[in-house]
Amino acid sequence: MMMEKLIIGNKTAKLPIIQGGMGVGVSRSGLAGAVAAEGGIGVISTAQIGYDEPGFETNQKECNRNAIEKHVKKALEQAKGGLVGVNIMVALKDYADHVKTAVKAGADVIISGAGLPVELPGLVEGFHTKIAPIVSTEKAAHVILKMWERKYHRTADFVIIEGPKAGGHLGFSREQLLNGEMQEYDSEIVKIIRTVKEYSAKFGCKIPVIVAGGIFSRNDVSHALQLGADGVQVASKFVATEECDADEAYKEAYIHAKASDVEIIESPVGMPGRALRNAFLEQVGKSTAVVEKCYGCLAKCNPARIPYCITDALIRAVKGDTEHGLIFCGADVGKINRISTVHEVMQELIV
């Protein structure tokens, strides 16, 4: 099955490949701009995006806002007319502020997961920015599309289905992931696509569906398209590229990782996540760290009760301290064995 252009309303990507948003600092303007320039949709993650801005330790809110504006504009300059998106987690304390900042900076699309983005349509009102929820079940897709219809009299511009092989925070229970309950996920994808088609018919428009999680090869892309998807989202494969915004040591951790190094963790976000086993996770498993400083990143986070500060752990990793930081990854990270380029990765995915 051959790829077609990804048409999202009045915006078009030459290739139906979206680069997944990865925080903290893993996917910023360097990676997103390069993917957009290749014809895909490059995506910036706003999760503590301003970690290296002057004054971050004392004013995270302003630094993140400044970094969102800076990196969106920078990626758009590099994109050569391609599309630049922004991934904003619903779980963030400053979610609404991040959305408004990204939209004003000129983001082509906003992608939201880690919770149901109930208020997203209202936050982009008056702008031409396209919006997409990330869902992992047919139930979640139905709930969010029904809510947007009832409250805003509109629907999604596209929908991303994130499966159980994805990296970072996952929309499944720890038990489902560890017991392999979601291994046969194709049927869920088909059900979600069917639900989205119902809303496409209702609103008289095409709502593209993108499949994410475990997309590594041309065969994976072809399989997603055969299930009825309009495109794919890929994340881990883009980490080991020259253009990725993370430190070289972070990329090396991906290159040297084996499938057996991947584990399902309990994140302070309140969701399970997939990450690389290292000294940090071993220590977390033995004792709870004392959280001396709160960075105010998550809406539902009590520093007195969490096992560690996720902001602190992610910043250490992206700066290169891969033994004492948190390294999120997808299930197929063990297949990555060298540093490549965004161009090479895109070419490896085109069918």
Side-chain angles (χ1 to χ4, degrees):
M1 190 171 236
M2 297 297 292
M3 282 182 162
E4 296 181 3
K5 291 180 180 179
L6 183 60
I7 301 173
I8 304 171
N10 62 349
K11 297 179 184 291
T12 302
K14 294 178 182 177
L15 294 170
I17 299 172
I18 299 177
Q19 162 250 313
M22 297 170 281
V24 168
V26 178
S27 64
R28 298 199 292 184
S29 55
L31 179 56
V35 172
E38 287 290 331
I41 300 180
V43 179
I44 293 165
S45 168
T46 71
Q48 301 295 44
I49 186 173
Y51 76 93
D52 57 354
E53 292 283 315
F56 179 77
E57 289 295 321
T58 56
N59 194 343
Q60 294 87 38
K61 188 182 183 81
E62 184 179 350
C63 287
N64 284 329
R65 188 188 299 124
N66 291 341
I68 292 169
E69 182 177 358
K70 178 176 76 176
H71 284 285
V72 169
K73 290 182 176 179
K74 194 172 178 181
L76 286 168
E77 290 173 0
Q78 298 171 12
K80 299 178 182 177
L83 303 185
V84 172
V86 180
N87 180 295
I88 308 173
M89 296 196 305
V90 178
L92 295 177
K93 184 177 290 184
D94 295 322
Y95 174 74
D97 186 48
H98 283 205
V99 173
K100 291 177 181 177
T101 302
V103 168
K104 290 177 182 176
D108 291 299
V109 304
I110 300 292
I111 297 169
S112 279
L116 293 177
V118 179
E119 308 297 330
L120 184 54
L123 297 173
V124 302
E125 200 167 347
F127 292 87
H128 297 295
T129 307
K130 306 305 178 184
I131 57 175
I134 296 175
V135 299
S136 294
T137 64
E138 187 277 334
K139 181 180 179 181
H142 178 72
V143 167
I144 193 64
L145 293 177
K146 184 177 181 180
M147 292 177 85
W148 284 6
E149 178 190 20
R150 186 176 67 244
K151 187 172 182 180
Y152 299 101
H153 311 293
R154 65 158 296 175
T155 192
D157 294 301
F158 61 110
V159 172
I160 293 178
I161 303 173
E162 193 167 82
K165 288 187 175 182
H169 295 110
L170 303 165
F172 306 92
S173 70
R174 181 179 174 84
E175 290 68 33
Q176 285 177 314
L177 295 165
L178 291 176
N179 297 334
E181 291 179 32
M182 305 308 297
Q183 284 184 353
E184 296 302 320
Y185 191 64
D186 286 1
S187 60
E188 192 69 27
I189 291 174
V190 172
K191 286 194 289 185
I192 296 172
I193 291 174
R194 188 184 306 135
T195 293
V196 174
K197 282 185 176 179
E198 291 174 8
Y199 282 86
S200 291
K202 190 178 291 188
F203 283 86
C205 64
K206 168 72 174 175
I207 306 174
V209 177
I210 310 300
V211 168
I215 305 296
F216 191 85
S217 67
R218 284 193 181 95
N219 287 340
D220 298 325
V221 176
S222 294
H223 182 65
L225 297 179
Q226 287 167 2
L227 290 175
D230 300 284
V232 295
Q233 178 175 285
V234 179
S236 294
K237 201 172 174 74
F238 282 111
V239 172
T241 61
E242 294 175 4
E243 296 90 344
C244 178
D245 297 274
D247 186 89
E248 292 305 309
Y250 193 100
K251 301 175 189 181
E252 289 289 334
Y254 267 53
I255 292 172
H256 298 299
K258 301 183 294 292
S260 57
D261 294 326
V262 180
E263 67 176 78
I264 303 299
I265 65 165
E266 288 292 344
S267 165
V269 172
M271 302 170 73
R274 179 173 279 112
L276 286 180
R277 185 180 300 111
N278 59 5
F280 170 73
L281 287 185
E282 290 177 8
Q283 184 59 41
V284 167
K286 296 175 183 176
S287 62
T288 299
V290 176
V291 180
E292 299 177 348
K293 176 181 176 58
C294 178
Y295 289 88
C297 59
L298 304 173
K300 298 178 180 179
C301 179
N302 184 341
R305 296 181 179 178
I306 57 175
Y308 58 90
C309 172
I310 192 166
T311 285
D312 193 38
L314 290 170
I315 288 176
R316 284 200 299 270
V318 79
K319 284 185 172 181
D321 188 354
T322 55
E323 274 304 304
H324 304 98
L326 178 61
I327 307 172
F328 278 138
C329 65
D332 290 329
V333 66
K335 297 177 181 178
I336 299 172
N337 54 26
R338 67 185 181 89
I339 297 290
S340 60
T341 65
V342 164
H343 176 74
E344 288 179 275
V345 170
M346 295 292 281
Q347 292 302 309
E348 289 169 4
L349 294 169
I350 295 173
V351 297

